[in-house]
């Protein structure tokens, strides 16, 4: 069979170029692989487990002190978490419409290609490249290292001072284990994700329960809004952290083709998982401040949960038991992230975006899973765990990876609004209100603009505050150049080669 991509074949018959295509059919190799569908293993509860597992990481245990430091008061800290929950629910509603309207795996890739068909596959290609090479592996690398850090905390009883390489080696092992389970033990991996999600939910419930039983005499304080900041930048910084803590509610959109009855399961699982997590997050913050005063929370830094349990239940719980639970929480986050990231690799390969696409887009006949896509995901995460130097350079990579996510998230919702007018005939089992979509777009714009705002401690930063978002924008620009090479120039080369072969 001809090795021409379908875009090139269409050009042979129509004389059109890459900037005038509505859609591009997959190359022949990908069409052959389409006979190997992924099994629909996921139901309501396993779907909720993936959503909650993707959201609940180390953030709720480590960021409350940072958010308090930004907004200045207990009351405003809780208000910020509530606002973050409401905005995230708006974003989730928009993604539920997208996922049920276009029930295809790959998440934003499918939505961007449908909403913005010209230039052909540009946004889908750039999204896939950004997600595969930067967004997912950097975030998962950070979570894997955090898992190693908390496991060492449980062993040594000390929150800091661990060997950097010990943390990283544990991180490599953790991601390798997750990839292996998803590849070779898919059903066991789903059960494990569900169990880890239950563990995380129970830990949050324990925080709430212990907090209610050990409320300080003055409760949350006489005036919970005393000391609230009047600086808009402080609230922007706090919301930035909260939005990241709630991110992960789109996890099921990358695996819609593995859901049973996706038109019903997707909205119920995603909304249910996010709503339950949001309630637990707000109650946990109330519990922290009910037991610890403002000074104690501020002094706890990123170890708020440890200080909380140490004060209530003693050193053994605070320094040995709780770190294990937090390590399990981040492990569940990594397991869900590896699952979602591999599905982006799989979807991109099936549309011919990647080299060796027949390999990364294949489904194992023995296991019924995208084994090679999972292997590629683990390899990329390992690179980000092992190669970057510790300190500011490592943190910078994580920030760079987070920026493109919000760019494409906002574009996906803009595309949703656009398709209300350009694709009126599409069936929409779930429909988000327009004001809800507007809130989602504003949140994405907010997350893209805030990193460029000069923070109050900019002079003391070792790395310029603007470097991470600028690097993210540069990567997106470079990806556009790679799109032109892959989807335009190479197609032209194949076109002329085919013409020459036909003439011979």
């Amino acid at each position: 069979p001809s090795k021409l991509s379908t875009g090139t074949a269409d050009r042979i018959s129509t004389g059109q170029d890459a900037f005038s295509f509505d859609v591009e059919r997959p190359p022949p190799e990908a069409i052959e692989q389409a006979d190997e569908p992924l099994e629909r293993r996921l139901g309501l509860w396993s779907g909720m487990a993936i959503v909650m597992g993707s959201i609940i990481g180390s953030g709720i245990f480590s960021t409350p002190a940072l958010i308090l430091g930004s907004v200045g008061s207990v009351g405003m800290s809780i208000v910020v978490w509530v606002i973050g929950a409401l905005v995230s629910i708006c974003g989730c509603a928009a993604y539920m419409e997208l996922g049920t309207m276009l029930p295809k795996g790959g998440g934003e890739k499918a939505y961007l290609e449908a909403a913005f068909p010209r230039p052909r596959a540009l946004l889908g290609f750039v999204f896939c490249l950004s997600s595969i090479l930067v967004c997912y592996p950097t975030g998962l690398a950070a979570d894997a290292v955090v898992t190693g850090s908390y496991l060492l905390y449980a062993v040594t009883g000390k929150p800091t001072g661990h060997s950097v390489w010990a943390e990283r080696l544990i991180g490599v092992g953790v991601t390798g284990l997750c990839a292996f389970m998803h590849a070779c033990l898919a059903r066991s991996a789903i059960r494990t994700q569900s169990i880890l999600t239950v563990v995380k939910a129970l830990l949050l419930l324990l925080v709430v329960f212990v907090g209610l039983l050990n409320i300080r005499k003055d409760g949350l304080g006489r005036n919970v809004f005393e000391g609230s900041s009047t600086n808009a930048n402080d609230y922007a910084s706090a919301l930035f952290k909260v939005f990241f803590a709630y991110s992960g509610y789109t996890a099921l959109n990358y695996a819609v083709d593995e859901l049973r009855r996706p038109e019903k399961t997707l909205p119920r699982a995603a909304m249910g998982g996010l709503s339950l997590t949001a309630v637990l997050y707000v109650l946990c913050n109330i519990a922290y401040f009910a037991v610890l005063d403002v000074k104690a929370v501020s002094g706890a830094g990123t170890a708020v949960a440890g200080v909380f349990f140490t004060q209530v239940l003693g050193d053994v719980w605070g320094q040995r038991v709780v770190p294990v639970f937090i390590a399990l929480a981040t492990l569940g986050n990594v397991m869900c992230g590896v699952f979602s990231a591999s599905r982006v690799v799989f979807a991109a390969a099936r549309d011919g975006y990647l080299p060796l696409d027949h390999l990364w887009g294949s489904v194992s006949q023995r296991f019924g899973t995208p084994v090679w896509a999972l292997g590629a995901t683990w390899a990329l995460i390992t690179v980000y765990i092992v190669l970057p130097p510790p300190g500011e350079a490592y943190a910078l990579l994580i920030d760079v990876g987070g920026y493109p996510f919000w760019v494409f998230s906002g574009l996906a919702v803009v595309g949703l609004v656009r398709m209300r007018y350009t694709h009126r005939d599409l069936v929409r089992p779930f429909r988000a209100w327009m004001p809800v979509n507007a809130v989602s777009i504003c949140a994405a714009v907010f997350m893209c603009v805030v990193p460029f705002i000069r923070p109050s401690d900019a002079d003391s930063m070792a790395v310029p505050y603007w470097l991470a978002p600028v690097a993210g924008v540069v990567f997106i620009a470079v990806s556009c150049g790679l799109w032109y090479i892959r989807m335009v120039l190479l197609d032209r080369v194949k076109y002329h080669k085919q013409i020459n072969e036909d003439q011979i």
Side-chain angles (χ1 to χ4, degrees):
S2 169
K3 296 298 181 183
L4 283 172
S5 74
T6 306
T8 307
D10 288 341
R11 245 189 313 280
I12 294 174
S13 61
T14 65
Q16 293 176 312
D17 61 23
F19 291 90
S20 59
F21 279 72
D22 287 313
V23 293
E24 180 194 24
R25 294 194 301 117
E29 297 91 340
I31 293 172
E32 293 169 6
Q33 295 159 11
D35 293 332
E36 306 173 64
L38 293 169
E39 183 181 345
R40 293 189 180 274
R41 298 185 175 93
L42 302 175
L44 176 60
W45 297 111
S46 54
M48 284 185 64
I50 289 177
V51 172
M52 293 184 68
S54 298
I55 299 173
I56 304 173
S58 61
I60 186 61
F61 307 111
S62 59
T63 58
L66 303 178
I67 292 168
L68 175 64
S70 295
V71 300
S73 72
V74 172
M76 289 310 302
S77 293
I78 296 172
V79 168
V80 164
W81 280 97
V82 172
I83 292 173
L86 295 176
V87 171
S88 297
I89 288 172
C90 290
C92 185
Y95 268 78
M96 294 312 94
E97 179 174 341
L98 286 166
T100 54
M101 179 177 66
L102 299 168
K104 303 176 182 178
E108 287 90 343
K109 172 189 171 296
Y111 314 146
L112 293 170
E113 289 176 349
F116 306 102
R118 297 186 182 91
R120 175 174 56 91
L122 171 60
L123 290 180
F125 182 94
V126 175
F127 163 76
C128 288
L129 212 61
S130 300
S131 298
I132 293 168
L133 296 181
V134 179
C135 298
Y136 269 112
T138 55
L140 291 172
D143 283 341
V145 172
V146 169
T147 302
S149 175
Y150 273 102
L151 286 175
L152 292 173
Y153 184 3
V155 172
T156 63
K158 298 178 181 178
T160 58
H162 313 136
S163 166
V164 172
W165 283 107
E167 294 177 350
R168 295 189 180 195
L169 287 175
I170 293 173
V172 171
V174 163
T175 53
L177 175 64
C178 293
F180 172 79
M181 291 188 68
H182 281 305
C184 304
L185 303 167
R187 293 190 181 280
S188 296
I190 292 172
R191 294 191 196 99
T192 302
Q193 284 180 175
S194 300
I195 292 171
L196 289 174
T197 299
V198 170
V199 169
K200 290 193 276 190
L202 289 176
L203 178 58
L204 296 181
L205 287 172
L206 181 62
V207 171
V208 174
F209 183 69
V210 169
L212 291 175
L213 294 180
N214 294 272
I215 299 176
R216 290 180 289 118
K217 292 182 179 180
D218 59 344
L220 297 179
R222 294 181 179 178
N223 185 358
V224 293
F225 292 98
E226 183 179 357
S228 297
S229 173
T230 57
N231 188 324
N233 286 352
D234 290 337
Y235 291 96
S237 176
L239 283 170
F240 193 78
K241 295 180 180 68
V242 169
F243 286 155
F244 268 112
Y246 280 114
S247 63
Y249 54 80
T250 63
L252 277 186
N253 288 71
Y254 300 99
V256 174
D257 44 11
E258 296 174 66
L259 283 174
R260 296 191 292 269
R261 302 175 68 195
E263 71 283 353
K264 293 186 177 181
T265 302
L266 179 62
R268 292 173 181 175
M271 276 294 185
L274 173 60
S275 300
L276 182 56
T277 302
V279 171
L280 290 173
Y281 273 13
V282 173
L283 291 177
C284 277
N285 275 275
I286 294 174
Y288 288 145
F289 291 116
V291 173
L292 305 173
D293 57 26
V294 171
K295 184 176 180 180
V297 173
S298 300
T302 58
V304 174
V307 173
F308 174 86
F309 279 109
T310 297
Q311 178 161 326
V312 175
L313 301 177
D315 292 342
V316 173
W317 265 86
Q319 299 176 8
R320 302 288 184 176
V321 178
V322 171
V324 172
F325 280 106
I326 297 177
L328 290 175
T330 54
L331 171 60
N333 204 254
V334 171
M335 179 165 274
C336 294
V338 168
F339 175 86
S340 299
S342 67
R343 269 44 182 184
V344 177
V345 175
F346 180 76
R350 289 214 156 182
D351 273 3
Y353 294 171
L354 306 177
L356 301 176
D357 49 13
H358 62 284
L359 187 65
W360 315 124
S362 64
V363 177
S364 169
Q365 293 183 354
R366 180 178 179 183
F367 301 111
T369 59
V371 171
W372 287 101
L374 283 158
T377 300
W378 174 70
L380 286 168
I381 297 170
T382 299
V383 168
Y384 281 104
I385 291 175
V386 174
L387 291 186
E392 294 288 344
Y394 191 83
L396 174 65
L397 275 175
I398 307 309
D399 291 339
V400 171
Y403 191 81
F405 167 80
W406 291 102
V407 173
F408 294 112
S409 177
L411 285 174
V413 183
V414 170
L416 169 63
V417 175
R418 186 172 188 268
M419 284 190 286
R420 291 278 181 91
Y421 304 97
T422 60
H423 295 69
R424 295 177 183 272
D425 57 330
L426 285 176
V427 177
R428 294 172 168 82
F430 184 97
R431 193 179 182 93
W433 293 341
M434 274 298 189
V436 166
N437 296 330
V439 170
S440 302
I441 294 170
C442 290
V445 171
F446 174 85
M447 295 296 283
C448 292
V449 171
V450 165
F452 289 99
I453 299 175
R454 180 183 175 85
S456 56
D457 59 344
D459 294 333
S460 62
M461 291 182 173
V463 176
Y465 66 92
W466 47 262
L467 188 57
V470 167
V473 172
V474 169
F475 184 85
I476 291 174
V478 170
S479 298
C480 292
L482 293 175
W483 165 84
Y484 187 78
I485 293 171
R486 171 64 186 87
M487 305 302 291
V488 181
L489 294 184
L490 289 182
D491 269 3
R492 289 176 182 173
V493 170
K494 291 177 181 179
Y495 163 66
H496 290 296
K497 182 179 179 181
Q498 183 66 30
I499 292 296
N500 293 333
E501 289 177 355
D502 291 344
Q503 288 175 349
I504 295 173

